[in-house]
Amino acid sequence: MKLVVFSDSHGQTDEMRLVLTNEKDVDMVLHTGDFGMDLDFVMKSMKSKIPYKRVRGNCDYSSPAPESLLFEAEGVKILMHHGSGLGVKRSLNKIDYYARQQGADIMIFGHSHLPLIKNMGDLYLLNPGSIGWPKGAGRTYAVIEIDPDKKKEIKIDIKTFP
């Protein structure tokens, strides 16, 4: 299973559209907030049948999206939260604790606009960075690949928008 993960698009939809056009065999698309409705727009304008999920960020004032979302993909528990209420710009302690409380295997968050993959042994912390307003690393997104034949064999990459 292949998941493409965006965060902090802040109205920059062309970049997401190009990523989704170029990435092959995408099974699901995720957005961790701050203009998560950009993903709605992109998926509808592309007439995409790919399922997608999003959570609300601190800039998504009237969004009906949930603040947090826990779901399973190929036996892997994935938790999404924007991270703004969990102090991710200062420390990863709260988000790590929150993910472990929820039993997550992968904790996906955004807010800082800085890409991060941290393997904590039984938990991955993933921030795809920002596809809209990058800080230092350029416009980034993440790709998660889960091998359904090898339960919980997880590969995570941060990619820079061309």
Side-chain angles (χ1 to χ4, degrees):
M1 175 171 233
K2 182 176 180 178
L3 300 92
V4 171
V5 186
F6 297 112
S7 187
D8 297 280
S9 52
H10 293 279
Q12 306 301 309
T13 58
D14 290 343
E15 291 81 355
M16 289 192 296
R17 185 178 293 105
L18 284 170
V19 166
L20 293 175
T21 299
N22 293 326
E23 286 288 346
K24 302 299 177 211
D25 303 317
V26 176
D27 297 299
M28 186 178 291
V29 183
L30 309 174
H31 194 294
T32 69
D34 276 4
F35 287 62
M37 61 282 210
D38 289 345
L39 184 57
D40 293 341
F41 173 77
V42 168
M43 300 306 274
K44 287 175 185 166
S45 69
M46 291 178 68
K47 296 182 170 95
S48 177
K49 302 271 191 242
I50 301 170
Y52 65 96
K53 299 178 184 296
R54 63 183 178 89
V55 293
R56 181 176 64 241
N58 59 297
C59 292
D60 297 322
Y61 308 110
S62 61
S63 172
E67 181 179 48
S68 182
L69 180 64
L70 178 65
F71 67 97
E72 199 167 299
E74 300 293 349
V76 175
K77 289 184 180 176
I78 299 173
L79 179 60
M80 293 172 50
H81 189 287
H82 185 62
S84 53
L86 296 170
V88 298
K89 287 185 179 180
R90 293 182 304 279
S91 167
L92 298 176
N93 291 340
K94 285 183 182 178
I95 204 146
D96 177 30
Y97 181 75
Y98 180 66
R100 291 176 191 281
Q101 273 187 317
Q102 303 297 316
D105 298 306
I106 304 174
M107 174 76 232
I108 304 172
F109 62 99
H111 190 54
S112 71
H113 296 215
L114 298 171
L116 168 84
I117 301 170
K118 189 165 185 170
N119 184 340
M120 311 284 286
D122 57 346
L123 171 66
Y124 284 94
L125 299 179
L126 169 62
N127 185 331
S130 174
I131 195 69
W133 288 357
K135 289 186 180 176
R139 296 176 193 273
T140 57
Y141 65 99
V143 174
I144 301 171
E145 294 183 80
I146 303 167
D147 187 334
D149 298 324
K150 299 175 185 169
K151 190 174 182 193
K152 294 192 179 182
E153 185 169 306
I154 301 166
K155 180 182 174 192
I156 304 174
D157 290 312
I158 300 285
K159 295 189 175 187
T160 303
F161 179 77

